[in-house]
Amino acid sequence: MKIKIVAAASVVMATLTWQAGAQIYDTNNEVVETFAGFGIPGYVDGQGALTAFSSPSQIVSDTASNLYVWDSGNARIRKITADGTVTTFAGGGNYFEGYGTNVSLAWAPGGAMAIDHANKLWLTLVNGYSGYCYLLTIGTNAYVSIANGGLTNLVTGSGLCFDSANNLYYSGGNRIYRYNTATGTAQAIAGSGINGNFDGQGTLFSAFNNPGALACDQADNLYVWDSGNGTIRRVDQNQNVTTIAGSGNYYYYSTMDGVGTNATFNGGIASMFTDNQGNLYLVCGSCVRRMNAQTNVVTLAGIFTQYQTSFANGPGYLARFYNAAGGCFSQGMIFVADTGNNRIRSIAFDPPPQVVSPANLQLKTYPGLQITGTIGRTYQIQASPDLNTWSQVATLLLASSPYLWIDQNPVGDNKFYRAVMLP
């Protein structure tokens, strides 16, 4: 198997040592494209790239391949169907609870978003006055309700995810909690609540340091981005906590791909999600990475270092993201909420060439002429069927020379064209 490696060097001033950060790109020919949004902050529903978002930060998919985006700058939930049609699902109204666009989601900043196995959306909103983090639900009928207002240690930076039994998990207060959606009660399952970094079982014998993003696989293993320690921790159903990736000292290392604890995450992880093959995907601001079941971490698209606004579609190693924050797996592809670029991006794996069908392919030829003249002067374009009778068909200000003019609405009798410079 061939791999593509990009190496970067960084100097650690405190110890005067040199570290090499290697980026290893996956070899499945990932291709990044824009799925929705034209890049300028705004609010426009419609189709594909003819729509507008404002800092989209979270994205999830339902069982029918519909995407739901927390469009944070517009304080709305936007729905995107599989064909790229964008509509507003909820938000933009005046009420705290109710249906769809009658409800306001602008009364508090949004945090994490997840979707359960009944296709119900769960969103955290933090009230700026009380400081409470509210847990909202949005049903398939777009009905918005407040499920809970004040869960223990639920904060803006909390991660959310669901297991196969539809239990909700969230991170906060250096702990991982299981929330029973039926009773509205939360129970800590891992982490002592004190800043630390040790593996073990349950809440007595394990410690986290500011855990953030969460994900759950098909075996109901939880994956935790332990941001203060720079590691990815796994919590199994017996509440055993194990460090599976990251060095634990990531502030002193450049970001690197690699296996297990040889991989580092200096740029942080904004969100995580899984597929049904045991892969864990990491959205890391300027890049999207994948960790397989053997804990091998590679880059799918983007670059580690990003110093300014960046956007590019194309092969994974050439693609660029800007503060990408959310991601999900749907339709056999990855979809990314590219927050800084105000776009929803897709990552396809080895996509086949797209052949334009005859029904969509039109070949046309148009007559015209090349004008070599004086830039800044006005020219009149005339046409004739016989070189004797001339009629005006266009007037233009010559912006460059030579200039190719095309008659996109030709009259059948016109066979000859000429340009006349006007006084």
Side-chain angles (χ1 to χ4, degrees), residues 62 66-69 77-81 85-89:
D62 67 12
N66 297 303
L67 303 175
Y68 296 88
V69 178
I77 302 290
R78 313 286 290 280
K79 178 180 179 179
I80 312 177
T81 59
T85 301
V86 179
T87 57
T88 300
F89 189 65

Side-chain angles (χ1 to χ4, degrees), residues 227-277:
S227 66
N229 291 315
T231 56
I232 296 176
R233 320 280 292 278
R234 182 176 60 213
V235 185
D236 65 22
Q237 285 298 294
N238 293 320
Q239 302 176 18
N240 295 305
V241 179
T242 307
T243 300
I244 59 173
S247 68
N249 297 299
Y250 82 116
Y251 290 112
Y252 303 101
Y253 292 84
S254 56
T255 301
M256 293 183 289
D257 287 328
V259 179
T261 55
N262 291 317
T264 56
F265 308 95
N266 192 32
I269 299 173
S271 64
M272 304 191 299
F273 56 98
T274 61
D275 63 15
N276 57 10
Q277 303 297 319

